[in-house]
Amino acid sequence: MSRAVIGLLVGMALAFAGWFGGFGAFILVAALGAVGFAVGRLIEGDVEWKAARRSPTSISGCAGLG
């Protein structure tokens, strides 16, 4: 699945949460999506757990950091 399709699905999920659940649901879905993204990056090996715990600036592979 391409990144564009994943972005589309995430945007649609946030839109549904915002429309049916209000702003609180929108924020909850966005926060849980961010946590899922971080866990996925850790599982794929793109980010080292020790580096992520030390400092946000030590994470290599993130745009603008490191």
Side-chain angles (χ1 to χ4, degrees):
M1 188 178 304
S2 72
R3 291 180 190 246
V5 172
I6 293 171
L8 173 69
L9 295 174
V10 169
M12 289 174 62
L14 288 172
F16 279 119
W19 182 261
F20 294 110
F23 186 71
F26 174 81
I27 295 299
L28 179 65
V29 169
L32 292 176
V35 169
F37 176 76
V39 170
R41 294 283 306 246
L42 286 169
I43 289 172
E44 287 180 353
D46 292 339
V47 177
E48 294 181 16
W49 176 250
K50 291 180 182 178
R53 287 184 50 204
R54 272 196 306 262
S55 159
T57 58
S58 66
I59 300 173
S60 62
C62 292
L65 298 177

